[in-house]
Amino acid sequence: MGMTPLYNPHKLAQQRRASLQQRFEKALVFVLNELGMELVRFARENRTYTDRTGNLTNSMGYVILHRGVQVAHGGEQGNGEGLSAALNLYAKLGLESKYDYSLIIVAGMNYAAYVEAKGYNVLLPAKLKADVEFERRMKELVAKADAKLKSMIK
């Protein structure tokens, strides 16, 4: 006479996968949040325009979306026109997002593209840095998750 398990092994495996997925998604949002703050700071430090009102610089920020729903945002400063422009843009971007997770760096003022088209740095330095940093950080995150998964299987 053998032993009969009092649990469903398939359900247990399914619960474990769901738990690992949640932990990975929390880590992903943390990494994206960290990267967003760094990119906004980098864009501000490398701007080449004169910001007379402060609105353009204050409207710089980032938003993290999960299937179009805002998960986090930050980087914007002040409480004036720049902040409200950034927050309005976040709401619009959420409706347009088609990815599971998105990190979007913005300058919320409607004239940001005009300033950049004139040859001044607004978000371009941050975009160039993001091209390199995003891939590097995602590889690090996946490698850590993979190592954790392998250690749990042993």
Side-chain angles (χ1 to χ4, degrees):
M1 173 195 262
M3 296 179 65
T4 306
L6 298 175
Y7 61 90
N8 182 337
H10 297 292
K11 188 172 184 177
L12 186 61
Q14 185 180 25
Q15 288 172 336
R16 192 165 200 173
R17 276 192 299 275
S19 174
L20 289 172
Q21 178 72 24
Q22 284 180 329
R23 289 177 63 189
F24 180 79
E25 288 182 5
K26 278 185 177 182
L28 175 62
V29 170
F30 179 82
V31 168
L32 292 175
N33 213 3
E34 201 174 57
L35 182 58
M37 287 298 288
E38 184 180 320
L39 292 172
V40 169
R41 184 176 55 252
F42 189 77
R44 285 191 178 119
E45 291 170 355
N46 291 283
R47 67 183 169 96
T48 56
Y49 60 90
T50 302
D51 194 359
R52 289 181 178 83
T53 64
N55 288 336
L56 183 54
T57 302
N58 290 344
S59 76
M60 287 183 188
Y62 68 93
V63 62
I64 299 170
L65 302 170
H66 177 57
R67 296 184 182 131
V69 176
Q70 183 176 317
V71 176
H73 70 86
E76 59 282 328
Q77 295 178 336
N79 57 4
E81 191 177 335
L83 174 62
S84 66
L87 295 177
N88 288 337
L89 188 55
Y90 295 160
K92 180 181 175 196
L93 291 170
L95 298 173
E96 297 173 0
S97 178
K98 60 183 181 252
Y99 299 104
D100 270 353
Y101 280 93
S102 304
L103 169 64
I104 303 171
I105 309 298
V106 301
M109 297 307 292
N110 59 356
Y111 55 85
Y114 173 79
V115 172
E116 198 139 80
K118 287 289 188 181
Y120 297 103
N121 287 339
V122 179
L123 292 178
L124 184 61
K127 190 257 187 250
L128 296 174
K129 183 177 176 102
D131 289 344
V132 174
E133 284 297 308
F134 180 80
E135 184 176 348
R136 183 181 69 78
R137 298 215 186 163
M138 290 304 107
K139 283 181 180 177
E140 283 177 7
L141 179 63
V142 169
K144 285 180 183 177
D146 194 38
K148 181 72 173 174
L149 184 60
K150 285 178 182 174
S151 74
M152 292 175 77
I153 293 172
K154 288 181 180 181

